Amino acid sequence: MTPLFSVRGLEKRYGARIGCTGIGFDLWPGEVMGIVGESGSGKSTLLSCLAGHLPPDRGEVIYDGRDVLAMSEPERRMLARTDWAFVHQNPRDGLRMAVSAGGNVGERLMAVGARHYGDIRETATDWLGRVEIASDRIDDRPSAFSGGMQQRLQIARNLVTGPRLVFMDEPTGGLDVSVQARLLDLLRGLVRRMGLSAIIVTHDLAVVRLLADRLMVMKGGECVETGLTDQVLDDPQHAYTQLLVSSVLQV
Ligand SMILES: Nc1ncnc2c1ncn2[C@@H]1O[C@H](COP(=O)(O)OP(=O)(O)OP(=O)(O)O)[C@@H](O)[C@H]1O
């Protein structure tokens, strides 16, 4: 088996300030990797570089044997529409607020070639069900939805085309705790059932405990510790990870 996604020596600077540096890992098919660290540790910068939203200054990003950084913009956009998906922290960044819930899901299918209206509507209805949105809300706009519903709709919009790799930026951030728990459960079920590979950025260790097979701990733009999630959280080796874990336990 070869890795689905490989990263080597990735670096991004903002002038003299380091965004992230020296990042390298392999992600295997069906594997979920969590990236954790305090605010300013470089998580979002790294995720943006990985997902092709931000050009890194140095390094290599290989997806399924293809050099992502050497791709043309149309090639990268095609990849982002087909094999990849990106779930934003704020659903408004990942949804079209002026389009109905069904339209939000359906237009992704159309972007990959679906044309038959009946089939598109049927698949959209099915996906709304999978993310626990009642089918009679299909013609409502996302602005009429709660934050949790909007996030579930964003997930349906992203997963309907059957991506292989999903990037998630604080997918449960900004939601209240009971809504977070339900969303996490739902995400875990979808990721496992679809055999998705995912990279999840969060500062919430409960999120990675539930979703991630493997963890990368970041501090000051660098990876300070990596390993299996339970191993890292139960027996942290780096002083910073120990602090991160113990500060959570004190809450
Ligand atoms: N557009 C930018 N211009 C200049 N510096 C930036 C920019 N974006 C991020 N940085 C800097 O890069 C470093 C990493 O920031 P980044 O946003 O990636 O961290 P983060 O771990 O995602 O934080 P948060 O959890 O608060 O989003 C920080 O020092 C930050 O100030």
mmCIF file with all atom_site columns, all heavy atoms in Angstrom, residues 115-133:
data_model
loop_
_atom_site.group_PDB
_atom_site.id
_atom_site.type_symbol
_atom_site.label_atom_id
_atom_site.label_alt_id
_atom_site.label_comp_id
_atom_site.label_asym_id
_atom_site.label_entity_id
_atom_site.label_seq_id
_atom_site.pdbx_PDB_ins_code
_atom_site.Cartn_x
_atom_site.Cartn_y
_atom_site.Cartn_z
_atom_site.occupancy
_atom_site.B_iso_or_equiv
_atom_site.pdbx_formal_charge
_atom_site.auth_seq_id
_atom_site.auth_comp_id
_atom_site.auth_asym_id
_atom_site.auth_atom_id
_atom_site.pdbx_PDB_model_num
ATOM 1   N N   . ARG A 1 115 ? -26.587 15.515 -14.301 1.00 0.00 ? 115 ARG A N   1
ATOM 2   C CA  . ARG A 1 115 ? -27.458 16.378 -15.093 1.00 0.00 ? 115 ARG A CA  1
ATOM 3   C C   . ARG A 1 115 ? -28.935 16.125 -14.856 1.00 0.00 ? 115 ARG A C   1
ATOM 4   O O   . ARG A 1 115 ? -29.764 16.971 -15.091 1.00 0.00 ? 115 ARG A O   1
ATOM 5   C CB  . ARG A 1 115 ? -27.152 16.199 -16.600 1.00 0.00 ? 115 ARG A CB  1
ATOM 6   C CG  . ARG A 1 115 ? -25.834 16.829 -17.032 1.00 0.00 ? 115 ARG A CG  1
ATOM 7   C CD  . ARG A 1 115 ? -25.901 18.375 -16.988 1.00 0.00 ? 115 ARG A CD  1
ATOM 8   N NE  . ARG A 1 115 ? -24.594 18.976 -17.191 1.00 0.00 ? 115 ARG A NE  1
ATOM 9   C CZ  . ARG A 1 115 ? -23.792 19.359 -16.202 1.00 0.00 ? 115 ARG A CZ  1
ATOM 10  N NH1 . ARG A 1 115 ? -24.155 19.205 -14.953 1.00 0.00 ? 115 ARG A NH1 1
ATOM 11  N NH2 . ARG A 1 115 ? -22.623 19.900 -16.447 1.00 0.00 ? 115 ARG A NH2 1
ATOM 12  N N   . HIS A 1 116 ? -29.276 14.916 -14.418 1.00 0.00 ? 116 HIS A N   1
ATOM 13  C CA  . HIS A 1 116 ? -30.678 14.535 -14.320 1.00 0.00 ? 116 HIS A CA  1
ATOM 14  C C   . HIS A 1 116 ? -31.305 15.108 -13.036 1.00 0.00 ? 116 HIS A C   1
ATOM 15  O O   . HIS A 1 116 ? -30.917 14.717 -11.927 1.00 0.00 ? 116 HIS A O   1
ATOM 16  C CB  . HIS A 1 116 ? -30.787 13.014 -14.356 1.00 0.00 ? 116 HIS A CB  1
ATOM 17  C CG  . HIS A 1 116 ? -32.199 12.530 -14.422 1.00 0.00 ? 116 HIS A CG  1
ATOM 18  N ND1 . HIS A 1 116 ? -32.983 12.361 -13.298 1.00 0.00 ? 116 HIS A ND1 1
ATOM 19  C CD2 . HIS A 1 116 ? -32.971 12.187 -15.492 1.00 0.00 ? 116 HIS A CD2 1
ATOM 20  C CE1 . HIS A 1 116 ? -34.176 11.927 -13.673 1.00 0.00 ? 116 HIS A CE1 1
ATOM 21  N NE2 . HIS A 1 116 ? -34.193 11.825 -14.990 1.00 0.00 ? 116 HIS A NE2 1
ATOM 22  N N   . TYR A 1 117 ? -32.255 16.034 -13.211 1.00 0.00 ? 117 TYR A N   1
ATOM 23  C CA  . TYR A 1 117 ? -32.808 16.759 -12.062 1.00 0.00 ? 117 TYR A CA  1
ATOM 24  C C   . TYR A 1 117 ? -33.370 15.821 -10.989 1.00 0.00 ? 117 TYR A C   1
ATOM 25  O O   . TYR A 1 117 ? -33.112 15.979 -9.798  1.00 0.00 ? 117 TYR A O   1
ATOM 26  C CB  . TYR A 1 117 ? -33.892 17.734 -12.535 1.00 0.00 ? 117 TYR A CB  1
ATOM 27  C CG  . TYR A 1 117 ? -34.545 18.481 -11.406 1.00 0.00 ? 117 TYR A CG  1
ATOM 28  C CD1 . TYR A 1 117 ? -33.899 19.561 -10.788 1.00 0.00 ? 117 TYR A CD1 1
ATOM 29  C CD2 . TYR A 1 117 ? -35.788 18.091 -10.913 1.00 0.00 ? 117 TYR A CD2 1
ATOM 30  C CE1 . TYR A 1 117 ? -34.486 20.231 -9.723  1.00 0.00 ? 117 TYR A CE1 1
ATOM 31  C CE2 . TYR A 1 117 ? -36.378 18.758 -9.853  1.00 0.00 ? 117 TYR A CE2 1
ATOM 32  C CZ  . TYR A 1 117 ? -35.723 19.822 -9.262  1.00 0.00 ? 117 TYR A CZ  1
ATOM 33  O OH  . TYR A 1 117 ? -36.296 20.476 -8.198  1.00 0.00 ? 117 TYR A OH  1
ATOM 34  N N   . GLY A 1 118 ? -34.127 14.809 -11.445 1.00 0.00 ? 118 GLY A N   1
ATOM 35  C CA  . GLY A 1 118 ? -34.752 13.883 -10.503 1.00 0.00 ? 118 GLY A CA  1
ATOM 36  C C   . GLY A 1 118 ? -33.716 13.143 -9.667  1.00 0.00 ? 118 GLY A C   1
ATOM 37  O O   . GLY A 1 118 ? -33.852 13.019 -8.443  1.00 0.00 ? 118 GLY A O   1
ATOM 38  N N   . ASP A 1 119 ? -32.653 12.680 -10.332 1.00 0.00 ? 119 ASP A N   1
ATOM 39  C CA  . ASP A 1 119 ? -31.598 11.949 -9.612  1.00 0.00 ? 119 ASP A CA  1
ATOM 40  C C   . ASP A 1 119 ? -30.884 12.863 -8.617  1.00 0.00 ? 119 ASP A C   1
ATOM 41  O O   . ASP A 1 119 ? -30.563 12.457 -7.499  1.00 0.00 ? 119 ASP A O   1
ATOM 42  C CB  . ASP A 1 119 ? -30.544 11.409 -10.597 1.00 0.00 ? 119 ASP A CB  1
ATOM 43  C CG  . ASP A 1 119 ? -31.105 10.294 -11.465 1.00 0.00 ? 119 ASP A CG  1
ATOM 44  O OD1 . ASP A 1 119 ? -32.189 9.793  -11.127 1.00 0.00 ? 119 ASP A OD1 1
ATOM 45  O OD2 . ASP A 1 119 ? -30.448 9.949  -12.477 1.00 0.00 ? 119 ASP A OD2 1
ATOM 46  N N   . ILE A 1 120 ? -30.627 14.095 -9.081  1.00 0.00 ? 120 ILE A N   1
ATOM 47  C CA  . ILE A 1 120 ? -29.899 15.036 -8.207  1.00 0.00 ? 120 ILE A CA  1
ATOM 48  C C   . ILE A 1 120 ? -30.726 15.309 -6.958  1.00 0.00 ? 120 ILE A C   1
ATOM 49  O O   . ILE A 1 120 ? -30.222 15.265 -5.831  1.00 0.00 ? 120 ILE A O   1
ATOM 50  C CB  . ILE A 1 120 ? -29.587 16.350 -8.966  1.00 0.00 ? 120 ILE A CB  1
ATOM 51  C CG1 . ILE A 1 120 ? -28.587 16.085 -10.095 1.00 0.00 ? 120 ILE A CG1 1
ATOM 52  C CG2 . ILE A 1 120 ? -29.056 17.419 -8.019  1.00 0.00 ? 120 ILE A CG2 1
ATOM 53  C CD1 . ILE A 1 120 ? -28.362 17.255 -11.028 1.00 0.00 ? 120 ILE A CD1 1
ATOM 54  N N   . ARG A 1 121 ? -32.023 15.539 -7.143  1.00 0.00 ? 121 ARG A N   1
ATOM 55  C CA  . ARG A 1 121 ? -32.884 15.830 -5.999  1.00 0.00 ? 121 ARG A CA  1
ATOM 56  C C   . ARG A 1 121 ? -32.987 14.621 -5.061  1.00 0.00 ? 121 ARG A C   1
ATOM 57  O O   . ARG A 1 121 ? -32.966 14.752 -3.840  1.00 0.00 ? 121 ARG A O   1
ATOM 58  C CB  . ARG A 1 121 ? -34.265 16.271 -6.480  1.00 0.00 ? 121 ARG A CB  1
ATOM 59  C CG  . ARG A 1 121 ? -35.069 16.923 -5.369  1.00 0.00 ? 121 ARG A CG  1
ATOM 60  C CD  . ARG A 1 121 ? -36.224 17.719 -5.902  1.00 0.00 ? 121 ARG A CD  1
ATOM 61  N NE  . ARG A 1 121 ? -37.122 18.094 -4.824  1.00 0.00 ? 121 ARG A NE  1
ATOM 62  C CZ  . ARG A 1 121 ? -37.116 19.259 -4.207  1.00 0.00 ? 121 ARG A CZ  1
ATOM 63  N NH1 . ARG A 1 121 ? -36.265 20.196 -4.576  1.00 0.00 ? 121 ARG A NH1 1
ATOM 64  N NH2 . ARG A 1 121 ? -37.955 19.526 -3.234  1.00 0.00 ? 121 ARG A NH2 1
ATOM 65  N N   . GLU A 1 122 ? -33.028 13.452 -5.662  1.00 0.00 ? 122 GLU A N   1
ATOM 66  C CA  . GLU A 1 122 ? -33.120 12.238 -4.854  1.00 0.00 ? 122 GLU A CA  1
ATOM 67  C C   . GLU A 1 122 ? -31.849 12.046 -4.009  1.00 0.00 ? 122 GLU A C   1
ATOM 68  O O   . GLU A 1 122 ? -31.908 11.754 -2.811  1.00 0.00 ? 122 GLU A O   1
ATOM 69  C CB  . GLU A 1 122 ? -33.310 11.037 -5.790  1.00 0.00 ? 122 GLU A CB  1
ATOM 70  C CG  . GLU A 1 122 ? -33.739 9.779  -5.070  1.00 0.00 ? 122 GLU A CG  1
ATOM 71  C CD  . GLU A 1 122 ? -33.953 8.627  -6.053  1.00 0.00 ? 122 GLU A CD  1
ATOM 72  O OE1 . GLU A 1 122 ? -34.462 8.870  -7.170  1.00 0.00 ? 122 GLU A OE1 1
ATOM 73  O OE2 . GLU A 1 122 ? -33.573 7.513  -5.715  1.00 0.00 ? 122 GLU A OE2 1
ATOM 74  N N   . THR A 1 123 ? -30.686 12.238 -4.664  1.00 0.00 ? 123 THR A N   1
ATOM 75  C CA  . THR A 1 123 ? -29.422 12.096 -3.928  1.00 0.00 ? 123 THR A CA  1
ATOM 76  C C   . THR A 1 123 ? -29.313 13.170 -2.843  1.00 0.00 ? 123 THR A C   1
ATOM 77  O O   . THR A 1 123 ? -28.863 12.894 -1.721  1.00 0.00 ? 123 THR A O   1
ATOM 78  C CB  . THR A 1 123 ? -28.218 12.203 -4.891  1.00 0.00 ? 123 THR A CB  1
ATOM 79  O OG1 . THR A 1 123 ? -28.411 11.287 -5.955  1.00 0.00 ? 123 THR A OG1 1
ATOM 80  C CG2 . THR A 1 123 ? -26.911 11.915 -4.196  1.00 0.00 ? 123 THR A CG2 1
ATOM 81  N N   . ALA A 1 124 ? -29.743 14.392 -3.171  1.00 0.00 ? 124 ALA A N   1
ATOM 82  C CA  . ALA A 1 124 ? -29.681 15.479 -2.184  1.00 0.00 ? 124 ALA A CA  1
ATOM 83  C C   . ALA A 1 124 ? -30.574 15.135 -0.992  1.00 0.00 ? 124 ALA A C   1
ATOM 84  O O   . ALA A 1 124 ? -30.175 15.307 0.171   1.00 0.00 ? 124 ALA A O   1
ATOM 85  C CB  . ALA A 1 124 ? -30.110 16.798 -2.815  1.00 0.00 ? 124 ALA A CB  1
ATOM 86  N N   . THR A 1 125 ? -31.763 14.616 -1.243  1.00 0.00 ? 125 THR A N   1
ATOM 87  C CA  . THR A 1 125 ? -32.686 14.237 -0.157  1.00 0.00 ? 125 THR A CA  1
ATOM 88  C C   . THR A 1 125 ? -32.051 13.151 0.705   1.00 0.00 ? 125 THR A C   1
ATOM 89  O O   . THR A 1 125 ? -32.084 13.204 1.939   1.00 0.00 ? 125 THR A O   1
ATOM 90  C CB  . THR A 1 125 ? -34.021 13.711 -0.739  1.00 0.00 ? 125 THR A CB  1
ATOM 91  O OG1 . THR A 1 125 ? -34.502 14.665 -1.674  1.00 0.00 ? 125 THR A OG1 1
ATOM 92  C CG2 . THR A 1 125 ? -35.053 13.505 0.355   1.00 0.00 ? 125 THR A CG2 1
ATOM 93  N N   . ASP A 1 126 ? -31.446 12.182 0.034   1.00 0.00 ? 126 ASP A N   1
ATOM 94  C CA  . ASP A 1 126 ? -30.791 11.092 0.759   1.00 0.00 ? 126 ASP A CA  1
ATOM 95  C C   . ASP A 1 126 ? -29.697 11.651 1.674   1.00 0.00 ? 126 ASP A C   1
ATOM 96  O O   . ASP A 1 126 ? -29.586 11.283 2.843   1.00 0.00 ? 126 ASP A O   1
ATOM 97  C CB  . ASP A 1 126 ? -30.206 10.105 -0.267  1.00 0.00 ? 126 ASP A CB  1
ATOM 98  C CG  . ASP A 1 126 ? -29.362 9.041  0.404   1.00 0.00 ? 126 ASP A CG  1
ATOM 99  O OD1 . ASP A 1 126 ? -29.843 8.473  1.389   1.00 0.00 ? 126 ASP A OD1 1
ATOM 100 O OD2 . ASP A 1 126 ? -28.220 8.794  -0.054  1.00 0.00 ? 126 ASP A OD2 1
ATOM 101 N N   . TRP A 1 127 ? -28.906 12.587 1.142   1.00 0.00 ? 127 TRP A N   1
ATOM 102 C CA  . TRP A 1 127 ? -27.805 13.139 1.928   1.00 0.00 ? 127 TRP A CA  1
ATOM 103 C C   . TRP A 1 127 ? -28.286 14.023 3.072   1.00 0.00 ? 127 TRP A C   1
ATOM 104 O O   . TRP A 1 127 ? -27.679 14.042 4.143   1.00 0.00 ? 127 TRP A O   1
ATOM 105 C CB  . TRP A 1 127 ? -26.794 13.869 1.026   1.00 0.00 ? 127 TRP A CB  1
ATOM 106 C CG  . TRP A 1 127 ? -25.699 12.909 0.699   1.00 0.00 ? 127 TRP A CG  1
ATOM 107 C CD1 . TRP A 1 127 ? -25.618 12.096 -0.387  1.00 0.00 ? 127 TRP A CD1 1
ATOM 108 C CD2 . TRP A 1 127 ? -24.581 12.587 1.528   1.00 0.00 ? 127 TRP A CD2 1
ATOM 109 N NE1 . TRP A 1 127 ? -24.520 11.299 -0.297  1.00 0.00 ? 127 TRP A NE1 1
ATOM 110 C CE2 . TRP A 1 127 ? -23.858 11.573 0.858   1.00 0.00 ? 127 TRP A CE2 1
ATOM 111 C CE3 . TRP A 1 127 ? -24.119 13.040 2.745   1.00 0.00 ? 127 TRP A CE3 1
ATOM 112 C CZ2 . TRP A 1 127 ? -22.702 11.021 1.391   1.00 0.00 ? 127 TRP A CZ2 1
ATOM 113 C CZ3 . TRP A 1 127 ? -22.953 12.489 3.281   1.00 0.00 ? 127 TRP A CZ3 1
ATOM 114 C CH2 . TRP A 1 127 ? -22.263 11.496 2.601   1.00 0.00 ? 127 TRP A CH2 1
ATOM 115 N N   . LEU A 1 128 ? -29.375 14.742 2.847   1.00 0.00 ? 128 LEU A N   1
ATOM 116 C CA  . LEU A 1 128 ? -29.930 15.526 3.965   1.00 0.00 ? 128 LEU A CA  1
ATOM 117 C C   . LEU A 1 128 ? -30.320 14.567 5.086   1.00 0.00 ? 128 LEU A C   1
ATOM 118 O O   . LEU A 1 128 ? -30.060 14.829 6.261   1.00 0.00 ? 128 LEU A O   1
ATOM 119 C CB  . LEU A 1 128 ? -31.139 16.347 3.501   1.00 0.00 ? 128 LEU A CB  1
ATOM 120 C CG  . LEU A 1 128 ? -30.831 17.506 2.543   1.00 0.00 ? 128 LEU A CG  1
ATOM 121 C CD1 . LEU A 1 128 ? -32.098 18.287 2.243   1.00 0.00 ? 128 LEU A CD1 1
ATOM 122 C CD2 . LEU A 1 128 ? -29.782 18.447 3.118   1.00 0.00 ? 128 LEU A CD2 1
ATOM 123 N N   . GLY A 1 129 ? -30.900 13.426 4.716   1.00 0.00 ? 129 GLY A N   1
ATOM 124 C CA  . GLY A 1 129 ? -31.257 12.423 5.717   1.00 0.00 ? 129 GLY A CA  1
ATOM 125 C C   . GLY A 1 129 ? -30.033 11.917 6.455   1.00 0.00 ? 129 GLY A C   1
ATOM 126 O O   . GLY A 1 129 ? -30.048 11.773 7.677   1.00 0.00 ? 129 GLY A O   1
ATOM 127 N N   . ARG A 1 130 ? -28.972 11.667 5.710   1.00 0.00 ? 130 ARG A N   1
ATOM 128 C CA  . ARG A 1 130 ? -27.759 11.139 6.349   1.00 0.00 ? 130 ARG A CA  1
ATOM 129 C C   . ARG A 1 130 ? -27.175 12.097 7.369   1.00 0.00 ? 130 ARG A C   1
ATOM 130 O O   . ARG A 1 130 ? -26.522 11.679 8.312   1.00 0.00 ? 130 ARG A O   1
ATOM 131 C CB  . ARG A 1 130 ? -26.683 10.859 5.303   1.00 0.00 ? 130 ARG A CB  1
ATOM 132 C CG  . ARG A 1 130 ? -27.017 9.675  4.422   1.00 0.00 ? 130 ARG A CG  1
ATOM 133 C CD  . ARG A 1 130 ? -25.757 9.186  3.780   1.00 0.00 ? 130 ARG A CD  1
ATOM 134 N NE  . ARG A 1 130 ? -26.009 8.728  2.427   1.00 0.00 ? 130 ARG A NE  1
ATOM 135 C CZ  . ARG A 1 130 ? -25.087 8.157  1.664   1.00 0.00 ? 130 ARG A CZ  1
ATOM 136 N NH1 . ARG A 1 130 ? -23.863 8.002  2.115   1.00 0.00 ? 130 ARG A NH1 1
ATOM 137 N NH2 . ARG A 1 130 ? -25.375 7.781  0.459   1.00 0.00 ? 130 ARG A NH2 1
ATOM 138 N N   . VAL A 1 131 ? -27.383 13.398 7.144   1.00 0.00 ? 131 VAL A N   1
ATOM 139 C CA  . VAL A 1 131 ? -26.871 14.364 8.125   1.00 0.00 ? 131 VAL A CA  1
ATOM 140 C C   . VAL A 1 131 ? -27.999 14.877 9.029   1.00 0.00 ? 131 VAL A C   1
ATOM 141 O O   . VAL A 1 131 ? -27.890 15.942 9.636   1.00 0.00 ? 131 VAL A O   1
ATOM 142 C CB  . VAL A 1 131 ? -26.104 15.538 7.452   1.00 0.00 ? 131 VAL A CB  1
ATOM 143 C CG1 . VAL A 1 131 ? -24.867 15.040 6.723   1.00 0.00 ? 131 VAL A CG1 1
ATOM 144 C CG2 . VAL A 1 131 ? -27.005 16.332 6.507   1.00 0.00 ? 131 VAL A CG2 1
ATOM 145 N N   . GLU A 1 132 ? -29.060 14.103 9.077   1.00 0.00 ? 132 GLU A N   1
ATOM 146 C CA  . GLU A 1 132 ? -30.156 14.342 10.028  1.00 0.00 ? 132 GLU A CA  1
ATOM 147 C C   . GLU A 1 132 ? -30.862 15.675 9.820   1.00 0.00 ? 132 GLU A C   1
ATOM 148 O O   . GLU A 1 132 ? -31.199 16.380 10.768  1.00 0.00 ? 132 GLU A O   1
ATOM 149 C CB  . GLU A 1 132 ? -29.634 14.216 11.475  1.00 0.00 ? 132 GLU A CB  1
ATOM 150 C CG  . GLU A 1 132 ? -29.059 12.831 11.757  1.00 0.00 ? 132 GLU A CG  1
ATOM 151 C CD  . GLU A 1 132 ? -28.269 12.743 13.055  1.00 0.00 ? 132 GLU A CD  1
ATOM 152 O OE1 . GLU A 1 132 ? -28.206 13.743 13.780  1.00 0.00 ? 132 GLU A OE1 1
ATOM 153 O OE2 . GLU A 1 132 ? -27.694 11.670 13.318  1.00 0.00 ? 132 GLU A OE2 1
ATOM 154 N N   . ILE A 1 133 ? -31.062 16.026 8.548   1.00 0.00 ? 133 ILE A N   1
ATOM 155 C CA  . ILE A 1 133 ? -31.889 17.200 8.225   1.00 0.00 ? 133 ILE A CA  1
ATOM 156 C C   . ILE A 1 133 ? -33.166 16.670 7.558   1.00 0.00 ? 133 ILE A C   1
ATOM 157 O O   . ILE A 1 133 ? -33.092 15.902 6.592   1.00 0.00 ? 133 ILE A O   1
ATOM 158 C CB  . ILE A 1 133 ? -31.142 18.177 7.288   1.00 0.00 ? 133 ILE A CB  1
ATOM 159 C CG1 . ILE A 1 133 ? -29.920 18.773 8.009   1.00 0.00 ? 133 ILE A CG1 1
ATOM 160 C CG2 . ILE A 1 133 ? -32.079 19.290 6.807   1.00 0.00 ? 133 ILE A CG2 1
ATOM 161 C CD1 . ILE A 1 133 ? -29.029 19.655 7.141   1.00 0.00 ? 133 ILE A CD1 1
#
